[in-house]
Amino acid sequence: SLGLPHNNNNKRRREHTSTTTMKMKNHAGNQQDNMKESSNSSSELEKKEAAALYAKIVFGIIAYASCSSMMLIINKLAVTFLPAPSVVLFCQLLTSAVAIKLMHEGGLVESDPLIAEKVKPFMLVAIAFLGALYTNVKTLQYANVETFIVFRSSTPILIAFLDYVFLGRQLPNMRSWLSLMAILMGAIAYVFTDSNFEVKAYTWVMAWFVVFAFDQVYIKFAVDNVKLTPWGRSYYTNLLAVVPVFLLGVVTREHEILTDFEWSTASIFALSASCVAGVLMSYSQFLLRGLISATSFTVVGTMCKIGTVIINCMIWDKHASMEGLIALFICIFSGLFYQQSPLRNPIPTHTRN
């Protein structure tokens, strides 16, 4: 009887210890379940974000490809019926800036107001953008569309190196290098078969090539570092380029063409179409630039020229020979095998816009 209280105490201690152990196990189990649920939730969120980004990229590519395929032909028509590239560009840029402003005020699109700290880096964007556009239309004024397209097709090689040096991308893998080299070989083959070789035209093409390379890299840098909506980027670029293109027209005296120019239904329609296309082209390109690398953007631009070639062959009699077209399609289809190079230091998912 003297040992009974002691035995009861031991029993209570064991029960207490057992209960405590069970609680700890249950708590640990709950923590594990919570961690699994949190991990699953995080994984599902990442999948949803990846799917949303993929859908946005697909939309951006389709929109840009559609606009880009038509824009080259429309610009060719515009400078054919109105042989004053700076006048055409002035109308395009001013129309785009005014249209975006009006749509923003009407609540149709989301743009951004002009802010001094954002205007400064975008001034250079506007000048680069204008330089690429002007040399583009000057090339189209003196050369056939295929000449421009093939030189356009050879730009991804240069942009790939600039992407690595300035924008933190890895160099392309072997498959992508073979793709880019095939594009270059097709371009060289085309030059040898071009029956409409024009020194003046090729001089403008080379001028465009240099400006375009800077345009692709610097605009990508600005897009990544200056926080604006796609419509805001388009508004800034078009508005800031209006004054420089006006001065360019005065310097080149192209505005004097308008003095004796006889407007026709065709010239008015071509100019109007180029202005409408300019608004859509500007938005779609800045949307896509913010989603993919500079090199990938350049390759996409090359691929969408397939539609341009088909339309061009239906409209103009100044297109390339059969051998030249084969070389051209080698350039274009080789780009289908290009794979975007990843960043050398990937941005964590939770920090992306």
Side-chain angles (χ1 to χ4, degrees):
S1 62
L2 293 173
L4 186 59
H6 178 70
N7 290 336
N8 288 338
N9 290 336
N10 289 338
K11 184 177 180 180
R12 281 195 294 271
R13 289 194 190 97
R14 286 195 298 270
E15 290 176 351
H16 177 72
T17 302
S18 177
T19 301
T20 303
T21 302
M22 288 296 293
K23 288 181 178 180
M24 292 176 64
K25 288 182 178 179
N26 290 335
H27 180 67
N30 290 335
Q31 284 186 324
Q32 291 180 351
D33 290 340
N34 290 336
M35 289 176 64
K36 288 180 180 179
E37 291 178 2
S38 177
S39 177
N40 291 336
S41 176
S42 177
S43 177
E44 290 178 3
L45 180 61
E46 289 180 358
K47 288 180 180 178
K48 289 181 180 179
E49 289 179 349
L53 178 61
Y54 179 78
K56 197 172 183 179
I57 291 174
V58 170
F59 171 77
I61 290 175
I62 293 173
Y64 175 70
S66 301
C67 294
S68 182
S69 296
M70 293 300 301
M71 194 69 195
L72 194 59
I73 295 296
I74 292 173
N75 275 342
K76 178 66 176 179
L77 287 169
V79 296
T80 297
F81 290 109
L82 178 57
S86 61
V87 175
V88 172
L89 288 179
F90 177 81
C91 293
Q92 288 181 1
L93 296 171
L94 185 60
T95 299
S96 295
V98 172
I100 294 170
K101 182 64 175 177
L102 292 176
M103 288 190 292
H104 174 71
E105 294 297 330
L108 298 177
V109 302
E110 182 184 356
S111 184
D112 299 270
L114 291 177
I115 301 175
E117 62 183 13
K118 295 182 179 180
V119 167
K120 187 176 179 180
F122 258 79
M123 273 301 300
L124 192 53
V125 168
I127 294 173
F129 179 68
L130 174 60
L133 283 177
Y134 184 75
T135 52
N136 180 338
V137 294
K138 288 299 289 186
T139 299
L140 293 175
Q141 188 177 7
Y142 296 109
N144 53 21
V145 172
E146 290 87 351
T147 299
F148 175 78
I149 290 176
V150 170
F151 277 89
R152 175 73 163 79
S153 300
S154 64
T155 56
I157 295 176
L158 175 60
I159 304 302
F161 282 108
L162 299 179
D163 233 349
Y164 173 78
V165 175
F166 296 107
L167 298 177
R169 292 275 169 184
Q170 295 181 16
L171 288 172
N173 57 28
M174 182 57 68
R175 168 178 163 173
S176 295
W177 276 125
L178 290 175
S179 169
L180 298 180
M181 290 305 297
I183 293 173
L184 178 60
M185 293 300 102
I188 293 174
Y190 175 79
V191 170
F192 280 106
T193 62
D194 185 4
S195 59
N196 295 306
F197 184 89
E198 298 175 89
V199 175
K200 191 173 184 180
Y202 281 91
T203 300
W204 277 112
V205 169
M206 291 308 299
W208 169 85
F209 194 90
V210 174
V211 175
F212 180 80
F214 176 78
D215 168 270
Q216 294 293 288
V217 174
Y218 182 78
I219 291 182
K220 175 60 178 174
F221 172 80
V223 165
D224 287 346
N225 290 276
V226 181
K227 301 305 178 186
L228 293 170
T229 65
W231 283 110
R233 297 167 192 155
S234 180
Y235 176 64
Y236 268 59
T237 303
N238 285 282
L239 182 63
L240 296 175
V242 167
V243 174
V245 79
F246 175 80
L247 296 176
L248 180 64
V250 173
V251 171
T252 58
R253 306 182 72 174
E254 288 184 358
H255 65 286
E256 295 179 359
I257 295 175
L258 299 178
T259 305
D260 300 321
F261 184 74
E262 295 184 5
W263 291 92
S264 64
T265 302
S267 60
I268 294 173
F269 177 79
L271 182 61
S272 300
S274 72
C275 291
V276 174
V279 177
L280 301 175
M281 177 67 177
S282 181
Y283 167 74
S284 62
Q285 72 156 316
F286 278 110
L287 173 66
L288 191 57
R289 283 180 192 271
L291 297 173
I292 60 178
S293 71
T295 307
S296 295
F297 179 80
T298 309
V299 172
V300 170
T302 300
M303 297 305 95
C304 71
K305 295 302 183 290
I306 295 174
T308 302
V309 173
I310 295 172
I311 297 170
N312 182 63
C313 288
M314 295 178 180
I315 296 177
W316 303 104
D317 58 358
K318 191 185 176 185
H319 53 72
S321 63
M322 181 57 66
E323 293 81 4
L325 287 173
I326 291 173
L328 177 63
F329 276 94
I330 289 175
C331 288
I332 293 174
F333 284 109
S334 296
L336 295 173
F337 297 95
Y338 177 80
Q339 292 177 319
Q340 176 169 290
S341 300
L343 290 167
R344 293 199 290 274
N345 297 307
I347 302 173
T349 303
H350 65 274
T351 63
R352 292 175 183 166
N353 293 330

